[in-house]
Amino acid sequence: MPIRLECLSHTPLQGYFDPAQEVRMEVERVQAAARERVLAYDPELVVVFAPDHYNGFFYDVMPPFCIGAAANSIGDYKSLAGPLAVPGALSRELAASVLAADIDVALSYRMQVDHGCAQALEVLTGGLDRFPVIPVFINSVAPPLATLRRSRLLGEAIGRFLSCTGKRVLVIGSGGMSHEPPVPELASADAEVAERLIDGRNPTPEARNARQARTIAAAKAFAAGTGNMHPLNPEWDRALLERLACELPAVDGMTNEAITRDGGKSAHEIRTWVAAFGALSAYGPYRASLDFYRPIPEWIAGFGAMHAAPAAAASTKKEH
Ligand SMILES: O=C(O)/C=C/c1cccc(O)c1O
Ligand SMILES: [Fe+2]
């Protein structure tokens, strides 16, 4: 019952507004190495913990967590569009098992995922449907949010289920660390924006282009040091990476208010990493490697990559 973990930041700005070539190439090398590890491991099941950015989940019903029993990627920015290869019956069993463990989770047979999920699948597996994949949405942008501890416990409950499947499992966490791109908030929204946050599925191409143009313009202003976006916080990011590697339960002490204050409103995407590490921790002690970290203002992201495996695992090769 082997398991491997890959966590990485995403950004829809890759390919639209890039950092210096040496940084871009370093990220590409790290991403290629992660993909090589995954393909050599050849998972029988992938579980991807991902946020959403008001593309698939809205305030008409905003669950803290949702397991996909079928899912489609909308293809925002340059991310891939199309169906994920979701094993629906197994997703349902997973949801039942998590609920039986006293963690309340929703189930969707029509989950829409955005770049927050699709980019990680493309980078790590080369596509959306290369391996059977169960997407697990974690609300990271739409207050009120569950606690960070709850994401760790969700991950643990999922890990316990996975360890009983006998499958070669890969868990993925997809999210930035400190960052705060221009995502609107319901509390301060006018009526038109509020409606978009409550029920804004399937916008027109014009509306989508306008949104993407706003993000690109914000990235340019942020990298130029103008505008009033929350700064990236490499010190906070590095402390978090250390916690994930060495003392996972310590994340329980991080309150939502402190995460917003220190990392910015979208830093809550770290809960995808926390859940992935929670799943891994259900298999016992683990060993984690930090593959990359750098604040990248052009991508509005504290950008990191880590991989990990149970301490007992001798190699990352395929195990039968
Ligand atoms: O959804 C958007 O329009 C922008 C999302 C974004 C921007 C920058 C960094 C990220 O991690 C994002 O998800
Ligand atoms: Fe994001």
Side-chain angles (χ1 to χ4, degrees):
M1 45 162 207
I3 183 167
R4 296 292 182 271
L5 170 147
E6 298 281 345
C7 283
L8 75 179
S9 299
H10 60 247
T11 176
L13 290 153
Q14 196 167 3
Y16 286 101
F17 182 52
D18 288 320
Q21 195 189 6
E22 79 219 42
V23 176
R24 218 177 60 229
M25 285 176 64
E26 200 186 343
V27 171
E28 280 171 17
R29 265 197 305 277
V30 168
Q31 292 176 331
R35 183 162 53 249
E36 243 173 67
R37 269 193 307 274
V38 168
L39 297 182
Y41 177 59
D42 192 20
E44 293 168 300
L45 177 65
V46 177
V47 173
V48 54
F49 295 97
D52 175 74
H53 311 78
Y54 295 110
N55 286 301
F57 288 86
F58 295 84
Y59 275 111
D60 52 1
V61 181
M62 181 62 77
F65 310 118
C66 183
I67 292 174
N72 202 68
S73 171
I74 63 154
D76 60 331
Y77 295 87
K78 290 184 192 290
S79 66
L80 292 176
L84 277 58
V86 184
L90 195 61
S91 292
R92 219 184 123 116
E93 273 179 51
L94 171 62
S97 163
V98 170
L99 288 165
D102 285 336
I103 308 285
D104 299 337
V105 70
L107 180 69
S108 171
Y109 277 83
R110 201 158 289 170
M111 188 188 277
Q112 284 188 308
V113 302
D114 69 8
H115 68 272
C117 180
Q119 193 174 87
L121 288 178
E122 181 177 2
V123 165
L124 292 172
T125 71
L128 295 173
D129 57 0
R130 179 94 194 246
F131 301 101
V133 57
I134 299 180
V136 181
F137 160 75
I138 298 186
N139 178 19
S140 308
V141 298
L145 304 178
T147 60
L148 194 58
R149 175 170 181 271
R150 206 67 174 164
S151 288
R152 183 177 68 77
L153 296 177
L154 168 76
E156 260 186 32
I158 288 179
R160 284 195 297 273
F161 172 85
L162 295 173
S163 69
C164 297
T165 62
K167 290 184 188 291
R168 216 165 34 249
V169 171
L170 170 69
V171 288
I172 297 174
S174 171
M177 277 154 281
S178 61
H179 69 309
E180 190 175 296
V183 178
E185 281 181 289
L186 192 57
S188 54
D190 62 25
E192 188 193 327
V193 174
E195 185 53 29
R196 220 181 329 125
L197 300 183
I198 293 168
D199 183 15
R201 285 177 192 80
N202 308 314
T204 62
E206 293 74 25
R208 181 161 301 293
N209 287 340
R211 171 181 173 166
Q212 299 186 175
R214 278 196 298 276
T215 306
I216 295 163
K220 289 182 177 168
F222 188 52
T226 57
N228 57 356
M229 286 158 70
H230 194 288
L232 304 180
N233 188 342
E235 215 172 290
W236 185 82
D237 291 344
R238 286 190 185 281
L240 172 73
L241 292 166
E242 180 65 21
R243 263 181 201 167
L244 293 170
C246 301
E247 42 167 355
L248 182 62
V251 304
D252 291 5
M254 296 171 70
T255 65
N256 290 347
E257 293 71 25
I259 294 168
T260 301
R261 182 194 65 218
D262 298 333
K265 288 176 188 149
S266 288
H268 292 282
E269 288 185 356
I270 60 168
R271 50 198 71 220
T272 62
W273 290 46
V274 166
F277 273 96
L280 176 62
S281 73
Y283 284 65
Y286 59 80
R287 202 167 288 143
S289 312
L290 177 59
D291 301 311
F292 181 82
Y293 173 74
R294 197 179 183 115
I296 305 183
E298 291 83 353
W299 289 348
I300 320 181
F303 206 89
M306 273 180 116
H307 72 282
S315 80
T316 54
K317 292 229 169 71
K318 199 192 262 192
E319 292 170 16
H320 294 281

